[in-house]
Amino acid sequence: MNTRISKKSVLAVLAVGLAPIALAGPAQAATVVTHDGCTITVDAPLFTNHFNAGGAKLFDYVYHLTCAASPGGVSVEVKQDRDESDLVGRAGDPDAPDELTGSSTQNLSFAAAGQTRNVTVRAVLPAVNDDTDVPLEMYQATKIRVTSGAVQGSWSVQAISASRALTP
């Protein structure tokens, strides 16, 4: 019996064993999340030339929700948070002191055939910003919970949009 192991064999085994560790870097926020047969995609907020009655700019927070065909159809609860990022380009960083500026919840029903909905939530930018930077780096963090018949699913992880610098 040959008990001699070559350096190449040892290195190959170590490389295969360490590969999952090397690939497991810091988690990055996803703009697309699939959960329980539905997929949500979130866009960065955008000014589309709309104003409220007082003349303040309104900003659009858009998401796209697609649900696969299901015999009885499904209903989806969508929880959307609107935040101001204190670190440009790192929206949703759990270590950043981001400010929640608003939230909303929508309930959408999808027929048995499945379909896609494009939803726009319009909101005014926050009046107060604790780090006094302008423009504001706004983003949305959105999650879904799917209900099929009497069975209610769990909440998905958040789909987090890129941040966009917006000026009130």
Side-chain angles (χ1 to χ4, degrees):
M1 182 164 127
N2 186 357
T3 58
R4 200 165 165 217
I5 301 174
S6 73
K7 283 185 182 179
K8 286 182 182 177
S9 297
V10 171
L11 290 175
V13 169
L14 285 175
V16 169
L18 293 177
I21 295 170
L23 296 175
Q28 298 298 317
T31 58
V32 178
V33 170
T34 299
H35 185 71
D36 292 344
C38 294
T39 299
I40 188 158
T41 304
V42 292
D43 297 344
L46 185 64
F47 176 61
T48 57
N49 210 28
H50 289 91
F51 300 86
N52 70 7
K57 291 180 181 177
L58 295 174
F59 295 85
D60 290 355
Y61 296 82
V62 178
Y63 64 85
H64 315 278
L65 182 62
T66 302
C67 290
S70 173
V74 296
S75 62
V76 182
E77 185 176 0
V78 180
K79 171 85 167 88
Q80 178 195 63
D81 290 336
R82 296 177 299 279
D83 297 274
E84 196 276 328
S85 175
D86 287 325
L87 296 173
V88 177
R90 297 179 61 199
D93 183 346
D95 297 324
D98 294 351
E99 297 124 2
L100 177 67
T101 64
S103 62
S104 60
T105 301
Q106 295 87 35
N107 292 294
L108 305 170
S109 295
F110 291 82
Q115 65 188 111
T116 297
R117 299 266 177 85
N118 300 308
V119 178
T120 300
V121 175
R122 247 181 215 132
V124 176
L125 284 185
V128 177
N129 180 20
D130 75 353
D131 61 1
T132 65
D133 62 345
V134 174
L136 304 175
E137 303 86 22
M138 300 301 297
Y139 69 93
Q140 66 172 303
T142 305
K143 60 185 177 179
I144 60 174
R145 180 167 57 185
V146 179
T147 300
S148 179
V151 179
Q152 184 177 64
S154 62
W155 283 104
S156 71
V157 298
Q158 290 184 321
I160 300 176
S161 75
S163 66
R164 177 165 290 154
L166 301 173
T167 304

